[in-house]
Amino acid sequence: MLALGKLLELTLVGREPAAKIQLTAEGARLRWLAEGALEVTPPAGQDSGLDLLLSAGIHGNETAPIELVDRLLHGIARGELKPRARILFLLGNPEAMRKGERYIEQDINRLFNGRHEQSSGFEALRACELERLSTTFFNQAPGDTPRERLHYDLHTAIRGSKIEQFALYPWREGCQHSRRELARLKAAGVAAVLLQSKASITFSSFTYAQLEAEAFTLELGKARAFGQNDGVNLQALEARLQCLIENREPALDEDLDGLQLFSVAREIIKHSDSFQLHLQPDIENFTELPVGFVLAEDIAGMRWVVEEKGARIIFPNPKVKNGLRAGILVVPSPELP
Ligand code: ZN
């Protein structure tokens, strides 16, 4: 295997490779760009026109997706997986990955779309670098013909979920969510998609809004330590990614039956240190909450009461910093037009 295929190993020991560029036997090029960043270019004349950004480890302890990305890269570096797409592999937070933590000082996935400029520390610098690497990747694509831009930002959640694998589809002004991309997610084993309706500060929101990629945050199950991910089934996603990489994706069935669509009813914002979330610490994502339920209380008698029928909670986290989102109330969304 080409040494650059060992991006994860290099990253976990914090080493820079001596040779930055290597070629596979058939002429695909691997180029190390920065810590945790590697670009793959297909052999000359074999480019399908897809620019595929695969990121994992934006939260350092989300090992199942990191291992998935690692397997794909190993396949390419061994010459077993034959790339026909340009690919950028990004491991998001190397320092947190080495420590097995979600983050060191602050959550990188709340630092995109310029938010890093209002902050400091190495996670803010890393968010800036990830923006730069992804911008360069998409903007340096060769040729004059329009290319397809796709970004999957792969995560596992802190908690269990009533719906094991789901996606967040970002929002940008005047842009419709794509039925084709939803069909692709369904084929990749994703059971539900949250259609967002406002701008956000996550990595996929950045690539969607600023770089006009089709971009998704994929939540793939519960976070566990390296080597303990048997419970997370990524086979459908892995098979779909292999197809995309090798340009042999089966035709998509655009019937979205069976794919649950949700929209955001409200974001629960923590305003002060008095914030109290009235949920069990181990509550699962997509747990339904009854109308009238007092979800949270905060300073000055502020109360968050569930008013929406069929509301469910995702990403409840009372430990976020003041001013940040402590959970999202979602509701079933009407069918796409
Ligand atoms: Zn995450």
Side-chain angles (χ1 to χ4, degrees), residues 59 62 102 155-156 219:
H59 298 130
E62 295 177 343
R102 184 173 168 83
H155 290 249
T156 41
E219 292 289 351

Side-chain angles (χ1 to χ4, degrees), residues 240-254:
R240 181 63 45 168
L241 289 173
Q242 289 167 344
C243 290
L244 283 169
I245 289 171
E246 295 198 316
N247 193 27
R248 51 175 177 78
E249 186 182 28
L252 287 165
D253 173 4
E254 296 203 7

